[in-house]
Amino acid sequence: MNIDLQLVEGLKTPLYWYDLGLLQSTLDMINDCIKGTPVRVHYAIKANCNPKLLKVIAKAGLGADCVSGREITAAINSGFPAERICYAGVGKTDRELIAGMAKGIGYFNVESIEELETLDELASDYGYKPSVAIRVNPDIDAHTHHYITTGLEENKFGIHLSMLDKAIEFAHKSPNLNLIGLHFHIGSQITIMEPFKILCEKINGLTDKYRKSGIEFKIINVGGGLGIDYEDPDSNPIPDFKTYFDTLLKNLHLSEGQELHCELGRSIVGQCGSVVSQVTYVKQGVGKKFIILDAGMNDLIRPALYGAHHKIQNLSAAGESETELYDVVGPICESADTFGKDERLPKTKRGDIIVIRSAGAYGESMASTYNIRPTAESTLR
Ligand code: LLP
């Protein structure tokens, strides 16, 4: 385990705890895997925008995938070069589009014909020719939670295949836009390779088709989505990047000089973060016991929002052999404020330190101040 009682005892809880050593090993693994390949990895800032983590990731040489004007600012302030930033999102405002051009970002992942027309107009007014990749909705089931599936026809993301010709023709012919790529993202927490293989086949079909009309894409961006092991983070602290990149490189027909871009978020930062919390009460309910933590769904919303399960451990009772079943809950006035039901844990008492593991991705970045609670501080080691 990358965290123990000694490391966190006495710190103010609830707290986000990050293991920078694990983050660095994860980044080193990615860089080893892509060395000598046409793969360029962009870190999906939305997964965790803690400035200290961003600096480490920028230093490792990754680009940044942003989804708002403020994420672009955060990326640049943390040392990501503007030209290594790509910018996706279905609702980029005029102000955000102009800011992206002003900052000279690498390219825009454009999600609709309406957005293409707007960017075209703004670019002409602004006197700047932005590079664009067209985000395609490939209608692929990523076999993940329906809230984090993005590549299905019914989702709001990307341009549907039936409208793609029109979008590509518009971008290709526009004197104000520089069409450089195709962009995809089929979903998140994908733990099998099959959806990525299907994506590659779809991409090959599209690039062949447009090559016949004389359109070559310099960049193929497959988005992110690689999952992590929430149940056993100690056995699998670093996701299987090798199999992931091999799958893409083996199945995609890349042409000479073409770059393959990935936008990984969860797989980079997920395992290096934990929520550290203290037990406020162990409450006897009717037929069950509750562990009531000082961390709530405002600190980590994934269990409440997606029914996600994170491994829960009692650091104070590490040597305790007697176990009991508990529902582990937060203090917020919502029944969804539950981190685990019927969790078998060592006998727990008031004041014990509990950690919720694998919380580095979509934890701190999705935190809120619901119930006017303060946002948890973070500590990095
Ligand atoms: N690229 C695009 C266009 C995206 O929308 C996303 C994530 C990523 C890349 C990064 O995906 P990743 O490698 O992290 O799977 N809050 C949810 C996950 C939402 C993902 C949103 N988009 C959760 O906690 O599970």
Side-chain angles (χ1 to χ4, degrees), residues 118-134:
T118 306
L119 184 60
D120 178 76
E121 230 178 272
L122 293 172
S124 150
D125 292 349
Y126 196 71
Y128 176 86
K129 193 168 179 175
S131 294
V132 301
I134 305 288

Side-chain angles (χ1 to χ4, degrees), residues 44 46-47 65 67 88 111 135 148 150 157 183 185 187-189 223-226 230 263-267 302 306 361-362 366:
K46 63 177 87 64
D65 158 45
V67 288
E111 306 233 7
R135 178 163 179 181
I148 49 176
T150 43
F157 302 99
H183 173 236
H185 173 73
S188 200
Q189 184 53 15
L226 180 64
Y230 280 99
E263 301 170 339
L264 298 173
R266 188 189 315 266
S267 51
R302 302 195 68 260
Y306 314 115
Y362 306 109
M366 291 180 81

Side-chain angles (χ1 to χ4, degrees), residues 285-299:
V286 181
K288 62 165 70 191
K289 273 191 176 168
F290 296 97
I291 292 177
I292 304 178
L293 299 179
D294 63 2
M297 64 189 273
N298 71 302
D299 301 302

